[in-house]
Amino acid sequence: MTATATKAATRHSAWQSLVMVASGAVTAIVPAAFQAVAARLLDLDAQANLAVILSVGSFCAGVVAAGLLEPRMADANLTDKTYIPLWATVLGVAGCAAMIVFPGYILVLAVALPAAMVALQIGRMHAAFTAGWAMEASTASALVLGSGAALLLSQQGSAAAIPVLGAAIMVAILVRAFRTPWKVSGRPRFAPTAWITLETAMVALVPLGIVATVYLLQRQEEAVALKATITVLGALQPILGYMRTRLLGAHSRNLTLGMSGLSVLAIGLILVLDLLGLFQALFGSSWAVVTFSALALACLWKLVSIPGTLPFTYLRRAGMVGQVFWIRVVSSLLYLAVSVVLLLASDSLVVLFLGLTLVETTTGLLLYAKYRSVARSLAAS
């Protein structure tokens, strides 16, 4: 391959990566759109209920998608690495249909939203691994148009906002399922699957546990604000998730540097948008609980998770899922213990996110220590 062809291929690959990350960011606005609509159509108690429902949905989506696909991605003996099972598409479409037909019932949303979020996350992980940028561009278009239309309708007090969101999510699910394998040959080994699923459950339990704790303390406005902050941080998740998914396949210095730089830019954009008052306008009065300092520390919490991605994916590629699991168990227990103590001692989100940042830093150090130990053992053998 000539130098010119190599440069062209590199530019094309970089363009595909940017499209994938941007479309992932659009997928992350689904919870934000629901919360923005709720801020205009629902009372505070219903908004708090929706915050918990969205947290449960994120938990289910993360655990199911990781347990289904990550073991396949890490299994060298499997040719077919990823797919979107038919049951996931049916589950997601059914959930969206329920939102369209019964939009005003919180109990319906409690089942329908997690179902739709599971289907969205499986499709997103499949697209990230296969670099299906064209498919993701179409998906993003549907979600942007649907979210925008729903927000305009909610500003007019129209109950049609939630059905419009449900229809947009349904289109996104179907676009991802189109021409995508819905069944594959071979199964990943049981032990790695169990370790990865349990590990993901422990990690995903942290944000759910924090929001649920605030809700159980009957601090509804704080629960809504906390979930809104986590939703805003979701803009970083496509970048971090894409980097992690690609690094599970193979190490890439350029990818790591590129995605890390993009994360810093995304954090800067989030802080600028907050200063401009966008989130206050989007989430309503509940955002008043989120000070600029709290948001900055929340962004720092996500930023310090980046260095730990490298030893994490190295250990996963080396097949050491059990060791990673126990590190994640320790990390999750620290997260939950620190969160509960800080929430009981203070109602300040600044204090909470400072504690979470310290715990995430500790997690990164534990992963790095294990990586160094494994690397030394391999070098000596």
Side-chain angles (χ1 to χ4, degrees):
M1 182 180 291
T2 65
T4 302
T6 301
K7 289 181 180 179
T10 301
R11 286 195 298 269
H12 184 64
S13 177
W15 167 250
Q16 289 183 349
S17 295
L18 286 174
V19 171
M20 291 297 297
V21 169
S23 63
V26 170
T27 300
I29 72 169
V30 170
F34 269 100
Q35 286 189 272
V37 167
R40 290 158 176 79
L41 298 181
L42 305 178
D43 59 29
L44 185 58
D45 285 341
Q47 290 180 52
N49 289 332
L50 184 64
V52 175
I53 291 169
L54 288 168
S55 299
V56 170
S58 296
F59 173 83
C60 294
V63 172
V64 173
L68 178 73
L69 295 183
E70 286 194 16
R72 301 191 66 88
M73 296 173 184
D75 196 328
N77 296 320
L78 292 179
T79 303
D80 298 324
K81 295 293 186 181
T82 179
Y83 71 121
I84 301 178
L86 182 61
W87 63 261
T89 301
V90 172
L91 181 70
V93 170
C96 293
M99 283 186 266
I100 293 171
V101 178
F102 305 105
Y105 295 88
I106 201 73
L107 289 178
V108 172
L109 291 177
V111 177
L113 256 177
M117 292 172 75
V118 166
L120 278 176
Q121 183 60 26
I122 291 174
R124 171 62 191 172
M125 189 172 287
H126 166 80
F129 190 84
T130 59
W133 65 274
M135 175 177 64
E136 285 299 274
S138 300
T139 299
S141 299
L143 292 175
V144 165
L145 291 173
S147 297
L151 189 57
L152 290 174
L153 288 169
S154 68
Q155 288 175 336
Q156 299 171 6
S158 173
I162 292 178
V164 167
L165 268 175
I169 297 172
M170 183 185 292
V171 170
I173 292 170
L174 291 174
V175 166
R176 282 176 172 160
F178 183 65
R179 292 185 178 177
T180 297
W182 58 271
K183 63 178 180 179
V184 288
S185 59
R187 292 182 179 179
R189 290 170 293 150
F190 174 76
T193 300
W195 284 119
I196 290 172
T197 304
L198 288 171
E199 176 213 325
T200 306
M202 291 298 298
V203 175
L205 188 62
V206 171
L208 172 59
I210 296 172
V211 173
T213 299
V214 178
Y215 179 81
L216 292 174
L217 291 173
Q218 297 185 342
R219 285 146 56 175
Q220 283 92 340
E221 189 173 34
E222 192 176 343
V224 175
L226 182 58
K227 180 54 186 172
T229 307
I230 294 174
T231 298
V232 168
L233 295 178
L236 292 171
Q237 194 55 44
I239 304 172
L240 301 176
Y242 182 73
M243 179 171 72
R244 168 179 146 153
T245 301
R246 301 296 293 179
L247 290 178
L248 284 172
H251 175 70
S252 171
R253 181 173 177 272
N254 289 338
L255 176 70
T256 303
L257 292 174
M259 293 300 104
S260 298
L262 198 56
S263 297
V264 173
L265 290 176
I267 286 174
L269 179 60
I270 287 173
L271 295 177
V272 169
L273 291 176
D274 183 54
L275 290 173
L276 293 175
L278 176 65
F279 302 133
Q280 179 74 53
L282 194 61
F283 297 113
S285 59
S286 62
W287 189 259
V289 178
V290 186
T291 64
F292 183 80
S293 298
L295 182 60
L297 279 171
C299 289
L300 180 62
W301 169 41
K302 287 298 181 182
L303 187 63
V304 298
S305 70
I306 294 176
T309 303
L310 294 175
F312 166 80
T313 51
Y314 173 89
L315 293 169
R316 274 282 189 85
R317 291 196 307 270
M320 298 183 178
V321 290
Q323 292 88 331
V324 173
F325 169 76
W326 289 115
I327 292 174
R328 290 296 198 186
V329 168
V330 172
S331 171
S332 296
L333 292 176
L334 276 174
Y335 260 119
L336 294 174
V338 168
S339 300
V340 171
V341 169
L342 293 180
L343 286 170
L344 290 174
S346 171
D347 60 357
S348 171
L349 292 182
V350 171
V351 174
L352 174 63
F353 285 121
L354 178 60
L356 298 184
T357 301
L358 293 175
V359 174
E360 185 59 41
T361 301
T362 303
T363 303
L365 291 174
L366 290 172
L367 286 167
Y368 182 74
K370 186 61 183 178
Y371 157 75
R372 291 291 299 169
S373 174
V374 172
R376 282 195 299 266
S377 298
L378 292 176
S381 61

